[in-house]
Amino acid sequence: MSDNPKYIQTVALRDVKCFALHGYYPEEQLTGIYFMVDAVVTFEPDNDTEDLLHTVNYEVLNTIILEEMKRTQKMLETVVKNILDRVVERYPFVHSAEVGIRKLNPPMPGQIGHSFVQLSYSNPTTKQ
């Protein structure tokens, strides 16, 4: 084992439930539907584990998610990219980040639990 172990920390929010007006069809943007959002971020932690300035603050992640879910978009692909872009901008030291959105009970024939869109980011300047 190395004398200097390398730690990779994960900070995540799972199942952030939001009511939003996202949807390709105009009626979806009128009636709205519930979504569940996941955000997972990895990074090399600072030695000072008691300072919010040296980590990814999941309260900030939650704020970003809630703000972007309020901005109506036709495509969930746009929403996940907007969330991911804001996370990476706020925390440029992250190694990787992943955002997924589930549309609960999408309005389609049959019984569908959820549809799902996910996007991942890998920082080319950090080594894992």
Side-chain angles (χ1 to χ4, degrees), residues 18-84:
C18 305
F19 184 84
L21 302 174
H22 305 301
Y24 183 78
Y25 300 104
E27 57 271 16
E28 291 180 288
Q29 294 186 8
L30 292 173
T31 59
I33 199 163
Y34 280 98
F35 297 85
M36 299 291 265
V37 182
D38 296 330
V40 180
V41 178
T42 66
F43 58 96
E44 196 169 335
D46 188 277
N47 287 331
D48 185 359
T49 59
E50 292 294 316
D51 189 341
L52 278 178
L53 297 176
H54 297 137
T55 189
V56 173
N57 183 340
Y58 53 79
E59 289 179 284
V60 172
L61 291 180
N62 189 53
T63 298
I64 291 170
I65 290 167
L66 295 178
E67 288 174 358
E68 290 302 324
M69 290 301 289
K70 286 180 185 176
R71 295 180 52 218
T72 300
Q73 303 290 338
K74 285 185 178 182
M75 304 293 287
L76 291 180
E77 288 84 343
T78 303
V79 183
V80 294
K81 184 166 185 324
N82 291 346
I83 293 170
L84 202 52

Side-chain angles (χ1 to χ4, degrees), residues 80-88 97-99 119-121:
V80 294
K81 184 166 185 324
N82 291 346
I83 293 170
L84 202 52
D85 286 347
R86 286 187 59 191
V87 169
V88 170
E98 188 171 85
V99 174
L119 187 62
S120 300
Y121 165 83

